[in-house]
Amino acid sequence: KEVETQTKLANVVVLATGGTIAGAGASAANSATYQAAKVGIEQLIAGIPELSKLANVRGEQVMQIASESITNDNLLQLGRRVSELADSKDVDGIVITHGTDTLEETAYFLNLVEKTDKPIIVVGSMRPGTAMSADGMLNLYNAVAVASSKEARGKGVLVTMNDEIQSGRDVSKMINIKTEAFKSAWGPLGMVVEGKSYWFRLPAKRHTMDSEFDIKNIKSLPDVEIAYSYGNVSDTSYKALAQAGAKAIIHAGTGNGSVSSRVVPSLQALRKDGVQIIRSSHVNAGGFVLRNAEQPDDKYDWVVAHDLNPQKARILAMVALTKTNDSKELQRMFWEY
Ligand SMILES: NC(=O)C[C@H](N)C(=O)O
């Protein structure tokens, strides 16, 4: 009986969505030229026999796309399936294989809306499985290792890339050609080595069980768009996005989410018309936008995204707008999540 309990393996479901981890190239030398989303989940799992020592693993192909093409409907579809599995008592952990281009967005979305403390791990690769030194196998092995561990419970949605365990909220694709592509301004939470995880810190922001958002109550996501800022920027894109129906515009600002004097009047006018203006920063290694520091946000009734990069700010804005259109409430959410 004792032996039986000791060797009881966790049940882990791998939900496959495509990406380079399911990619295939013409030759082993093709590490960057290949087609994403080609290989099915059964084949990926069969390629790593060592998984069977970590957990009882089964796969499900939810979609088969390159992650740059993920839509809001795809996010909702995936989120609902994760939620169903998390509610099942036969499932101990969930892994999602995903393209790396928007992996940080999906991971943050799930971190906000999944009401579970079971491990949810999002994983991708930078090289297709057909390439020399492909990174997908080990990344997926690590993801299953973390998903099947008790220590990963209650830590929010996690990402395992390059031997690191990152918070899905903080992590971002910072480099697009190296296998050490994913980093967080605040550092990884831990490491996973030879199938064992080593933890060093915990996420500080609200997530999953402690979140006020629930995928079960989200029918659709509102239109939130991003406008990129730079020297000599004009208001053309901001106005066009609002005209096309954006409920909020994420200002992907320079530096501290600063706003060019050329576009300030237009952003004020858009806010008066009901569009939420959310100031974020597009600096590479981690923006940090403070309220009323670069612009009088109180006076203009704008929101700041704090340390969320523009693409993560879009995710939180969409989810938040399913609950409220009050700018003070939105700002509270941007501080708390
Ligand atoms: N490395 C990758 O997965 C990139 C690919 N374009 C994707 O996001 O699906």
Side-chain angles (χ1 to χ4, degrees), residues 79-92 94 114-118 120 209 214-216:
R80 287 178 188 135
R81 188 62 191 135
V82 170
S83 166
E84 282 166 8
L85 290 169
D87 284 348
S88 157
K89 61 174 177 17
D90 301 330
V91 175
D92 300 304
I94 299 158
E114 297 298 338
K115 304 300 282 180
T116 182
D117 63 1
K118 291 182 185 173
I120 301 171
M209 292 303 279
D214 185 341
I215 185 76
K216 293 191 181 91

Side-chain angles (χ1 to χ4, degrees), residues 32-98:
T33 310
Y34 58 87
Q35 276 192 291
K38 283 279 147 205
V39 182
I41 186 58
E42 297 309 331
Q43 206 181 322
L44 287 188
I45 291 173
I48 317 174
E50 292 77 9
L51 288 180
S52 64
K53 296 205 177 80
L54 294 175
N56 301 312
V57 179
R58 71 173 174 87
E60 242 182 71
Q61 194 77 46
V62 182
M63 55 194 90
Q64 184 65 296
I65 52 181
S67 76
E68 60 271 27
S69 302
I70 289 250
T71 63
N72 288 348
D73 285 344
N74 293 143
L75 277 183
L76 291 172
Q77 182 196 350
L78 177 65
R80 287 178 188 135
R81 188 62 191 135
V82 170
S83 166
E84 282 166 8
L85 290 169
D87 284 348
S88 157
K89 61 174 177 17
D90 301 330
V91 175
D92 300 304
I94 299 158
V95 169
I96 296 141
T97 59
H98 200 289

Side-chain angles (χ1 to χ4, degrees), residues 247-319:
K247 300 282 175 281
I249 295 176
I250 310 297
H251 166 73
T254 38
N256 179 11
S258 51
V259 185
S260 161
S261 55
R262 298 185 76 203
V263 307
V264 167
S266 298
L267 295 197
Q268 285 178 279
L270 290 176
R271 180 68 201 107
K272 288 214 168 73
D273 287 345
V275 180
Q276 298 286 350
I277 303 297
I278 301 173
R279 291 198 300 120
S280 172
S281 167
H282 67 57
V283 299
N284 290 328
F288 199 91
V289 181
L290 286 171
R291 232 185 130 71
N292 299 316
E294 281 279 351
Q295 290 290 332
D297 298 294
D298 287 349
K299 186 169 155 208
Y300 296 165
D301 196 25
W302 293 349
V303 171
V304 297
H306 198 34
D307 69 320
L308 291 179
N309 67 23
Q311 58 272 32
K312 284 182 191 268
R314 186 187 79 94
I315 296 291
L316 178 54
M318 288 194 301
V319 172

Side-chain angles (χ1 to χ4, degrees), residues 18-21 34 36 65-68 98-102 125-127 173:
T20 297
I21 194 163
Y34 58 87
I65 52 181
S67 76
E68 60 271 27
H98 200 289
T100 56
D101 287 354
T102 60
S125 78
M126 296 306 294
R127 296 176 182 148
K173 186 176 185 176

